[in-house]
Amino acid sequence: MKLDFLKKFKNTYFKYVESLSPQEKQKIEGYLYITLTLFTVSFFGFFAITPTLSTISNLDKQYKDNNLVYEALNKKLGNLQLLDFQYREIQPDLEFIYSAIPRSAKIPYLGRQLENIAINNNVSVAKLNFNSVEIYPNKKIDPIFSFNFVINVIGKEADVNNFIADIINFDRIIGIDRIITGKDEENKQLASITGRAYFSDK
């Protein structure tokens, strides 16, 4: 039934075309070529454009992701610049902080400092001992360590008192655990000072 219809349509179409003038046939052929051309362009254009649209979508996503990364990097850079500015602000004070609590025990250096303080106050050092420092294994959460020292000095009473005051007030933080004073056979002032010095391992 369907084939008969197609045959009748074909015969009718050819009869209609044969009855047309050459100019009309030329117009129909032109319309037919235009229609086929538009259909072909649309058909293949669809498959050509689809990957392009997908590429554009991916590029747009990458652009947005890159913008997020760029903004995050800018924020991090701003924070680093702020930290650098704050560090420069406190940098002049760091020397005083490291002098007060040095990053290591610096026992020989502390010994020379105590001897110089004694010389400046006209007292003689009769004894200077430092206790051992255990820093390993470090089971402390607090990074501040300390060690004891004992220094015995001899001199005039005023000079000994000045020596004690200078130890308490000089640039490194020193805690005084005990002070024993007295007189020797020559009536000179004696002082035995047990102190504690602090340092950090950071």
Side-chain angles (χ1 to χ4, degrees):
M1 184 73 179
K2 189 174 181 180
L3 292 175
D4 292 339
F5 173 77
L6 291 174
K7 287 180 181 179
K8 289 180 180 180
F9 177 78
K10 183 178 178 182
N11 292 331
T12 304
Y13 174 76
F14 280 115
K15 287 179 181 180
Y16 172 74
V17 171
E18 288 175 357
S19 65
L20 296 175
S21 64
Q23 291 83 2
E24 291 175 333
K25 288 181 180 181
Q26 190 174 5
K27 286 182 180 180
I28 290 175
E29 288 177 357
Y31 293 146
L32 183 60
Y33 287 141
I34 291 173
T35 302
L36 290 174
T37 301
L38 291 175
F39 174 78
T40 303
V41 170
S42 300
F43 180 77
F44 289 104
F46 173 77
F47 292 102
I49 291 173
T50 299
T52 304
L53 293 176
S54 176
T55 302
I56 291 173
S57 176
N58 289 334
L59 289 175
D60 182 63
K61 185 177 183 303
Q62 291 178 10
Y63 175 76
K64 291 178 180 178
D65 291 342
N66 289 338
N67 270 348
L68 291 175
V69 173
Y70 177 74
E71 290 174 2
L73 289 175
N74 267 344
K75 184 176 180 181
K76 187 172 184 179
L77 178 61
N79 291 335
L80 289 174
Q81 289 174 339
L82 178 61
L83 287 175
D84 181 65
F85 173 76
Q86 292 174 343
Y87 175 78
R88 291 176 185 274
E89 286 285 307
I90 66 171
Q91 192 172 15
D93 299 327
L94 291 179
E95 183 177 350
F96 298 105
I97 294 172
Y98 295 145
S99 295
I101 305 178
R103 293 180 175 178
S104 63
K106 291 189 176 181
I107 291 177
Y109 181 68
L110 177 60
R112 290 193 298 272
Q113 286 181 304
L114 294 173
E115 290 172 351
N116 287 333
I117 293 174
I119 292 171
N120 292 337
N121 286 284
N122 299 315
V123 296
S124 301
V125 177
K127 175 184 176 182
L128 177 57
N129 290 335
F130 292 94
N131 290 347
S132 59
V133 182
E134 182 180 352
I135 59 174
Y136 183 85
N138 179 12
K139 297 180 180 179
K140 295 178 58 177
I141 298 176
D142 188 354
I144 302 298
F145 294 84
S146 66
F147 58 90
N148 289 330
F149 66 89
V150 177
I151 182 169
N152 295 346
V153 295
I154 303 172
K156 295 180 180 179
E157 184 175 354
D159 293 336
V160 170
N161 290 337
N162 290 334
F163 172 77
I164 295 171
D166 285 349
I167 287 180
I168 295 173
N169 295 317
F170 90 120
D171 55 0
R172 183 163 180 175
I173 294 177
I174 297 293
I176 302 299
D177 293 342
R178 184 175 60 177
I179 298 176
I180 300 175
T181 60
K183 299 284 186 178
D184 66 0
E185 296 176 354
E186 298 178 359
N187 203 33
K188 290 183 178 180
Q189 184 74 16
L190 301 176
S192 177
I193 303 164
T194 302
R196 181 176 297 275
Y198 298 88
F199 69 96
S200 172
D201 67 341
K202 301 297 183 182

